[in-house]
Amino acid sequence: MKFVVLIKQILDPSGILVRRDKERVFINREEYIIGSDSKAALEAGLRLKDAGAAELIALSVGPARAEDALREALAMGCDSAYLLADPAFDNADVSLAARILAAAIQNLGGADLVIAGFASADSGSGQIGPRVAEALGYAQVTGVFDLSLEDGAVCAARAWDKGAAAVRAALPAVVTVLSNAYTPRYPNGARIMNAYRLWETTLWNASDLGLDESDLIPHLTYRGESFPRPFPVGEVLRGSPESCAQEVVMTLKEHKLLGKAGG
Amino acid sequence: MDFSYLDSWMEEETPEGAVEETGEGYRNIWVFSESFQGQIHPNALEALGQARELAGQIGVYVYGILLGETQPGTADELIAYGADKVLIASDPQEPERLVDYQPEVYVRTLAALVERFRPEILLMPATCLGSDLAPRLAQKLDTGLISRCVKLEVDMSQRLLLGSCPVMGGEVYHTFDCPTARPQMATLEPGYFRAPYKDDYRSGEVRQVDVDLSEAAAELVWTGVQESLPAIPVPLCKQRVVVSAGRGMEDQDGFALVERLAEALGGVAAGSRGAFEMGWIPEERIVGVGGELIAPDLYVACGLSGDIHHYFGVQDAKFIVAINPDEQAPIMKAANLAVVGDARQVIPELLKALSL
């Protein structure tokens, strides 16, 4: 069996402070990490690998610094890692990233199961899984929190319409996992050292993947940023319990804080 | 008076056989109307309302798209909620094919419709189904998709759809457009758009479209229904909504109120060390130093003073509501909304206001 896990390196969200009132994003600490969703995908892949004999391959599209993320993936237990980097990929949007990843998976000779995060912690569009699935013609299951393999099919429990549902998809398939469903393992020290000293990541550029300039035109254009309305600060409500309660519920509704169930 | 010229003019406006079939250009706004057993998903109605507004700006028709829907009332309902036309796609050979959600079959059906009728804009609600289907369809059609939009506008100078979607945990919105590829696709975050009013006197056209699904393979088997599976167990530190109790809740009945509030808000109940000592919560539900450090979107502190040991655990919460009779309590100073009052009286009123 060959499993591929898709990894996205992101700017550590805990180093970013957004001031809605000042309408500015402050980057206090510029550190790049594996996003929590990709880590969950890694963990899901490693658990499947532990359960049965399989090869686990990590793939990442990104600049040269994404190699760090791949070495961490190696340390956690991946067998090999491929960095898909090229100056032509710099302005890639999610549709291009999907095409690049799909080309890489085809270069690897296809995969039985591709695992990705459901939505990354930075852009969080949740598109990569289904887009890769379509590009490869694989089946897809998104928003998975429990995963197992059964003779040529993947059985998954997925979040579905405020509840959950169990589905079964024939391999090859793409699954995306929820970030809070898997707690990633910490790699042991020897593996961390080996990941930097012994093991190597492979670099593939556009020509290795058989992509040329005409394939690499992004669809979406970035047009600017805006901010949600700032929250009230230190607003004190006095008065009857009834009026206070109505005021509280109104404010929560205004700021879309109701109906945020789950994680 | 002879109005036949109007008819012919209207015909030109919707040249059924001419432009739509041969596809000179992309026009009209489509809404993928997710429905279950003839009931339209409320978030699909929100998308329909937004489509109506955009259509008014660029002067096109709104189409409701139904897949495999055989109940006649559903199409009429879409029209009553603002659709000008409804397309019902089904395979006459295998009418059952579109009942259960199958990504590949749905994508194939919608792609066939899009290629035939060429909509300018395609909107979908960002439900579980919509979020699963839309990116795959976008890849198939080789176009851009703006996910989970909280705001949609039209740039009239270029006739482009502008979608703003939350990034970095919803603290910033980034706006995108899709300048060349068509259709322009967007999914709409539930709860951010107003559902339209129902007007039973609206009339529109309903059209059956046959699609051939004989080649599409259904690769997904739905083995379990929703009720049979427990939802994901989420640890306290990753919960989006946490309602905490302090000693101010006084007794078990007071804590029961907190639990009910947590349920109504879609979160979990936790508490201060005081609540743990009273035996209301297990040790892993203590918030603060020595317990859990949490950063939920909404934190409600009921009857707890929030001294530094507790507050340290919730300082990263996005929005704090504190309910305490003592206005000088530390948590009241840190809260976004501070309610001066006894939580045992305020919570029942909150539950009442939430159920409205």
Side-chain angles (χ1 to χ4, degrees), chain A residues 8 43 110 123 125 155 181 199:
Chain A
K8 184 176 183 186
E43 177 63 32
S123 55
S125 69
C155 296
W199 301 329

Side-chain angles (χ1 to χ4, degrees), chain B:
Chain B
M1 215 173 170
D2 182 20
F3 281 109
S4 58
Y5 75 95
L6 256 182
D7 287 337
S8 61
W9 182 70
M10 291 291 283
E11 280 299 314
E12 257 170 58
E13 197 73 1
T14 55
E16 209 54 66
V19 169
E20 281 190 359
E21 303 278 347
T22 58
E24 275 172 20
Y26 288 89
R27 56 186 305 151
N28 299 324
I29 302 182
W30 283 16
V31 178
F32 172 70
S33 311
E34 184 183 341
S35 62
F36 180 69
Q37 293 177 350
Q39 190 86 30
I40 303 164
H41 200 291
N43 299 335
L45 292 180
E46 292 171 9
L48 198 57
Q50 184 60 28
R52 192 69 265 161
E53 260 174 49
L54 297 174
Q57 286 176 43
I58 56 175
V60 293
Y61 292 106
V62 173
Y63 280 56
I65 310 298
L66 290 168
L67 296 190
E69 188 54 64
T70 46
Q71 298 180 25
T74 319
D76 294 338
E77 202 171 331
L78 278 178
I79 289 167
Y81 276 111
D84 297 306
K85 298 188 180 188
V86 178
L87 296 182
I88 305 176
S90 60
D91 186 345
Q93 259 71 52
E94 301 167 275
E96 296 298 304
R97 278 306 282 282
L98 292 161
V99 173
D100 275 340
Y101 172 58
Q102 294 288 347
E104 193 153 299
V105 178
Y106 272 46
V107 162
R108 187 179 275 255
T109 311
L110 283 170
L113 288 182
V114 166
E115 269 152 30
R116 185 163 162 205
F117 295 100
R118 300 191 174 231
E120 187 174 3
I121 295 173
L122 173 53
L123 303 181
M124 292 191 188
T127 52
C128 286
L129 194 157
S131 310
D132 192 86
L133 174 62
R136 187 160 190 151
L137 180 61
Q139 190 71 17
K140 172 106 179 165
L141 296 169
D142 196 15
T143 183
L145 165 69
I146 314 167
S147 299
R148 300 176 52 223
C149 292
V150 296
K151 198 169 136 200
L152 287 172
E153 292 164 301
V154 174
D155 176 354
M156 285 308 286
S157 63
Q158 299 170 71
R159 207 183 158 97
L160 283 179
L161 180 72
L162 299 180
S164 301
C165 54
V167 295
M168 299 181 202
E171 288 296 287
V172 186
Y173 300 149
H174 279 182
T175 307
F176 293 95
D177 65 23
C178 180
T180 48
R182 292 288 177 277
Q184 307 168 73
M185 289 181 63
T187 57
L188 284 72
E189 181 80 352
Y192 279 80
F193 298 91
R194 208 176 312 135
Y197 293 107
K198 191 176 180 183
D199 179 1
D200 284 322
Y201 295 99
R202 278 180 60 90
S203 62
E205 189 189 319
V206 182
R207 189 165 159 190
Q208 292 276 353
V209 185
D210 294 342
V211 283
D212 180 18
L213 295 173
S214 51
E215 284 169 33
E219 74 280 1
L220 219 59
V221 186
W222 293 80
T223 49
V225 282
Q226 277 156 254
E227 290 79 23
S228 64
L229 273 169
I232 336 147
V234 182
L236 185 61
C237 58
K238 284 186 178 168
Q239 287 285 351
R240 306 271 39 109
V241 178
V242 175
V243 184
S244 261
R247 277 185 214 272
M249 298 315 297
E250 286 173 17
D251 52 25
Q252 197 69 47
D253 293 345
F255 183 68
L257 282 176
V258 170
E259 280 183 318
R260 275 175 59 201
L261 180 62
E263 198 184 333
L265 290 171
V268 291
S272 61
R273 186 155 287 276
F276 168 66
E277 277 163 13
M278 302 291 270
W280 301 334
I281 54 167
E283 199 173 350
E284 64 271 14
R285 285 286 168 89
I286 302 175
V287 174
V289 176
E292 290 285 326
L293 307 183
I294 61 176
D297 287 343
L298 173 61
Y299 184 73
V300 186
C302 308
L304 56 79
S305 65
D307 59 28
I308 185 66
H309 310 100
H310 181 77
Y311 179 64
F312 188 78
V314 292
Q315 58 185 352
D316 291 332
K318 282 190 188 157
F319 195 98
I320 300 179
V321 179
I323 309 169
N324 200 306
D326 176 13
E327 209 180 314
Q328 301 306 317
I331 193 81
M332 302 289 271
K333 301 256 184 311
N336 296 88
L337 267 186
V339 179
V340 184
D342 185 356
R344 293 166 60 95
Q345 285 161 17
V346 177
I347 292 175
E349 296 295 338
L350 272 175
L351 290 170
K352 228 184 276 171
L354 282 171
S355 63
L356 285 181

